[in-house]
Amino acid sequence: MTVIAQVSDIHVRPRGLLYQNLVDSNAMFARAVEALNRLDPAPQLVLITGDLTDEGLPEEYEMLRELLAPLRHTYAVMPGNHDDRGRLREAFGDQPWLPREGELHFGIDVGAVRVLALDTTVPGLHHGELSPVSLAWLERELAANAHGRVVIAMHHPPFVTGIPYLDLYGLRDVGAFIELVSRYANIDRIVAGHVHRSMQTRIGSVPVLTCPSTTTQIALRLEPDAEPASYLEPPAFMLHRWGAAHTGSAVSHLCYIGHFEGPLPFA
């Protein structure tokens, strides 16, 4: 059995400061860590798919390391548009999966699954792009693992959400990525963050899933002139599980963070 927990868009702030001056994102991530520690069976990897911090400040990365310290599972972090590559690299320089230079792409073997973490960030900007260097790295990894199960992880999801104020900052020029993905039959799924909501679609036969935030969830407003908004909906993470025989695709579970009434004596 292979189990990967995906957390995203945690927006850690310096000690004592609130996300958007309204929400205690640090406390909410601490509760997420507690929930992850209660998982049974335990995940072999906790993957955080970007927006680790809100402003990419050194003190935010220091706070993040402190908040991660109680986590009992192996973890890996990816950059989002609110992160700073250099400061992230400095803060996690002791982690073996982290590239020492350039874009922060990396691959990790988790049980029978190869996770390819693809850096979609553009320094100083909020939209996402995949440079020729990024696509070349991905193609090399896909070719080298053509006979194994692969998951592609990225911060910006490779599709248009339909929420106008989100799509301004989406992943641009996805055609080459889609063409590349279409040439490999062993990609189990693509997972992403960025949108602070759970969304599902497909690229060809490949499922594409986004992970909610551990802080606020972005409002589902589809009208063309919609104003940006967020809600304090229940925070959540994703749990991706492959069966013991490693046959077939994963089952991905949306897991809410919090204490809810129950268990009730029926199913």
Side-chain angles (χ1 to χ4, degrees), residues 157-168 170 193-195 197 199 210 220-222:
F159 61 85
V160 175
T161 71
I163 301 174
Y165 47 84
L166 273 179
D167 290 330
L168 290 173
H194 186 56
V195 294
R197 294 193 63 83
M199 303 181 189
T210 67
L220 179 59
R221 293 183 171 180
L222 301 174

Side-chain angles (χ1 to χ4, degrees), residues 23-78:
V23 179
D24 193 345
S25 55
N26 293 0
M28 297 179 83
F29 181 59
R31 288 193 286 274
V33 168
E34 293 172 359
L36 292 165
N37 283 340
R38 291 193 298 268
L39 289 174
D40 185 15
Q44 288 101 320
L45 178 71
V46 174
L47 180 65
I48 309 180
T49 48
D51 282 0
L52 313 172
T53 67
D54 196 45
E55 297 183 6
L57 301 173
E59 52 267 41
E60 291 177 328
Y61 289 108
E62 291 173 10
M63 190 72 240
L64 174 58
R65 289 301 300 251
E66 182 177 327
L67 291 167
L68 282 168
L71 183 64
R72 299 182 191 134
H73 316 305
T74 300
Y75 68 82
V77 299
M78 298 172 54

Side-chain angles (χ1 to χ4, degrees), residues 211-224:
C211 182
S213 172
T214 59
T215 58
T216 53
Q217 309 309 315
I218 289 177
L220 179 59
R221 293 183 171 180
L222 301 174
E223 57 272 27

Side-chain angles (χ1 to χ4, degrees), residues 91-148:
F92 290 92
D94 60 331
Q95 301 300 310
W97 37 261
L98 189 72
R100 298 298 180 248
E101 60 183 10
E103 297 168 337
L104 296 181
H105 312 306
F106 57 88
I108 300 180
D109 292 314
V110 186
V113 177
R114 177 73 169 171
V115 177
L116 302 180
L118 187 60
D119 182 355
T120 59
T121 63
V122 182
L125 299 173
H126 285 294
H127 72 273
E129 294 179 9
L130 289 171
S131 69
V133 171
S134 302
L135 291 169
W137 177 87
L138 180 61
E139 183 158 25
R140 286 194 302 272
E141 282 283 342
L142 289 172
N145 295 279
H147 300 293

Side-chain angles (χ1 to χ4, degrees), residues 187-209:
I187 301 171
D188 187 276
R189 62 202 49 227
I190 299 168
V191 300
H194 186 56
V195 294
H196 289 228
R197 294 193 63 83
S198 173
M199 303 181 189
Q200 303 86 38
T201 187
R202 304 183 78 86
I203 292 178
S205 62
V206 181
V208 185
L209 312 171

